[in-house]
Amino acid sequence: MKFNHFEEAYLHIMDHVYHSPEYENNPRGFKSKERLNCSFAIENPIERVCYKPSRKENIIFNFAEAIWYLSGSNKLDFISYYASNMAKYSVDGEILTGTAYGPKLFSFGHKKINQWERLINVLAEDKDTKRGFIQIFDANEDIYLRNIDVSCTIGLQFFQRENNLHVCAFMRANDAFRGIVSDIFSFTFIQEMMATQLGLNVGKYYHNVATVHIYEPDNPKVEKVLIDETDTHQWGCSFPSMPNKNNWQDLRTVIDYEALLRNREVTLSKEQIEEIEVDQYWKQIITLFAIYQGIYYSKKIDGQLYHTLLPIYQYFIKNKWPRLL
């Protein structure tokens, strides 16, 4: 199956699982609908969001999770600040093992392999290689019921073809309502980050899942999204693209400011953000994190910061937190 952008894929797959499940079962005691062996392609993976207002996608969490991965961190306090329910996955209340993909990217296994740098070198050695694989799931992970923090992703494979960087994601399991939203956002963000570093165009994104499912408590929300007839194409929005350069220096600056904001060591005005020496693309993400600081600590949104956002980000903020504006 091929789709132009994520929203098309999301609605189709969710509808397929919900209305035509192959199985209804109770893994780990949670009733769910399920289909096995699902694969599809997204032609324009930069369009990595669902615009349907009924979905209320959390754009700040989406960016936070992707940047959490790229920071290499496994710290619970980083990601639980944006999603408190992540705390239930941590055994010791301090780190995440399966869910934290950052250490898998940059320090995998007992040899502490930097898979990102290895991939760069493999692609430089042979631009047509079929060996450009980053492993996520580790056979050393505890997969018994006593542990709920197990990697859902097996790995990501990268292909340089005709000046495009294509990515194939392989997953053992994916939640068709919740997890697929943040997973594909993060994986296509990683794809774009790698493509800009290599000086390539962002190619297609391929999503391959062994089991895709919907848990019963989410049924009412699924139904609400599936009957949402909002024509999101009429807005003419397009999701912002990263600058056409190696973006690592800017990303490291964003990572630094994210930590300062999260730990309340700094507050930022629009003037202060404008002075930060990163491209506007990354200033917008810092602004989102600065806005979230107000949401988290004060239950309010800074109007000046909000009005410096691109209209597309304003839409997501207003749709997610309408009472705070």
Side-chain angles (χ1 to χ4, degrees), residues 116-317:
W116 189 281
E117 288 302 320
R118 185 172 67 170
L119 176 60
I120 294 289
N121 294 333
V122 167
L123 291 171
E125 184 181 58
D126 178 8
K127 66 181 181 63
D128 297 322
T129 187
K130 297 185 285 291
R131 300 178 182 180
F133 195 84
I134 288 180
Q135 182 179 340
I136 301 296
F137 180 81
D138 185 349
N140 292 307
E141 292 186 44
D142 183 352
I143 62 173
Y144 293 97
L145 285 178
R146 63 192 174 214
N147 177 38
I148 63 173
D149 185 20
V150 179
S151 301
C152 292
T153 307
I154 298 168
L156 304 171
Q157 191 165 6
F158 296 75
F159 297 93
Q160 180 178 339
R161 299 291 185 269
E162 297 179 354
N163 208 41
N164 295 304
L165 185 69
H166 307 291
V167 170
C168 298
F170 299 92
M171 305 196 69
R172 63 171 184 84
N174 218 187
D175 184 319
F177 174 67
R178 295 179 182 272
I180 198 171
V181 174
S182 53
D183 286 334
I184 290 184
F185 187 100
S186 289
F187 298 158
T188 58
F189 191 87
I190 288 170
Q191 176 182 8
E192 189 175 12
M193 190 73 186
M194 178 66 75
T196 56
Q197 182 175 353
L198 293 169
L200 301 173
N201 300 318
V202 176
K204 297 175 184 176
Y205 172 82
Y206 300 90
H207 200 66
N208 305 278
V209 188
T211 164
V212 60
H213 49 271
I214 294 171
Y215 290 113
E216 186 177 56
D218 285 328
N219 287 353
K221 295 178 181 178
V222 170
E223 292 174 0
K224 188 175 181 180
V225 174
L226 291 177
I227 64 172
D228 186 342
E229 296 183 353
T230 306
D231 181 7
T232 55
H233 300 293
Q234 68 179 338
W235 300 334
C237 292
S238 58
F239 203 79
S241 299
M242 288 181 193
N244 187 21
K245 66 173 190 179
N246 186 331
N247 283 283
W248 271 105
Q249 183 173 341
D250 284 6
L251 177 59
R252 291 188 182 100
T253 299
V254 172
I255 291 169
D256 290 342
Y257 275 102
E258 184 284 326
L260 291 170
L261 289 161
R262 170 165 41 88
N263 294 312
R264 222 174 184 181
E265 295 176 29
V266 68
T267 57
L268 294 174
S269 67
K270 67 175 185 177
E271 292 81 10
Q272 289 170 319
I273 292 174
E274 191 56 39
E275 291 176 0
I276 299 173
E277 295 183 357
V278 294
D279 272 289
Q280 285 296 328
Y281 176 90
W282 299 103
K283 287 179 183 178
Q284 288 280 297
I285 297 176
I286 293 173
T287 302
L288 287 170
F289 290 151
I291 287 173
Y292 187 74
Q293 184 190 60
I295 294 172
Y296 184 86
Y297 286 110
S298 305
K299 299 296 186 291
K300 64 181 182 180
I301 290 174
D302 184 310
Q304 286 191 325
L305 290 177
Y306 173 79
H307 288 293
T308 66
L309 290 173
L310 294 170
I312 192 170
Y313 295 149
Q314 289 183 358
Y315 162 72
F316 281 112
I317 296 297

